[in-house]
Amino acid sequence: MMIVNEQIKASEVLLTGIDGEDLGIVSRSEALALAKRHNVDLVCLSLMSSPPPCRLVSRSAAKQDMNAKKQSEKRNELSQKTKEIRLTPHIEEHDYDTKLRQIEKLLEAGKAVELNVRAQGKESKEAKALLERLLADLKGKGNKETGIQVSGKGAIVKLLPAR
């Protein structure tokens, strides 16, 4: 949400001019008058500081900035999707090769992969060994974000694509 003109309630604002020049701390009414004089809007950049930083910009430029920021956040969020691959400690060789190819494709596509080996009781050592083997086979394709986490239910490791 964008806070503009009369929506700004602070008595003083830290003002930045149209061309990015620093105009210092001015009263809200003075800033609004300046905005009217130059036929632009007074846009609040953040409510987290006192006085709030504000800028004189055309409304269309401010909306474009906001939309660009939202799109880049969305793009970053999408690229951080994690795909979970589940395995068992007693995996057969051809199934292992299939999973390995699947993981390689996901990493090459830029997706993060969480490898989850389900194990019960004493199988946790085998689960950890399987993950270590997978990590060795995936060397250069992905980097560990976390170490191998072993629990009573199995072992998990998260891989990020190598960039």
Side-chain angles (χ1 to χ4, degrees), residues 3-74:
I3 299 165
V4 294
N5 299 333
E6 280 77 22
Q7 293 175 337
I8 300 169
K9 300 295 181 201
S11 57
E12 293 183 322
V13 296
L14 180 60
L15 191 61
T16 304
I18 299 168
D19 299 320
E21 69 276 9
D22 187 16
L23 301 176
I25 297 173
V26 296
S27 69
R28 175 180 166 261
S29 55
E30 190 180 332
L32 286 170
L34 220 87
K36 269 200 175 117
R37 195 170 335 131
H38 291 290
N39 202 21
V40 292
D41 287 322
L42 179 65
V43 178
C44 184
L45 303 174
S46 169
L47 295 174
M48 295 301 146
S49 56
S50 181
C54 294
R55 201 169 156 201
L56 296 173
V57 292
S58 67
R59 183 165 289 189
S60 62
K63 279 193 176 177
Q64 282 177 342
D65 285 350
M66 290 289 283
N67 287 340
K69 199 180 282 184
K70 279 183 184 174
Q71 281 181 341
S72 71
E73 285 173 7
K74 202 176 213 179

Side-chain angles (χ1 to χ4, degrees), residues 68-83:
K69 199 180 282 184
K70 279 183 184 174
Q71 281 181 341
S72 71
E73 285 173 7
K74 202 176 213 179
R75 213 173 296 121
N76 289 340
E77 193 176 290
L78 287 175
S79 69
Q80 295 305 316
K81 291 272 189 211
T82 302
K83 179 73 176 161

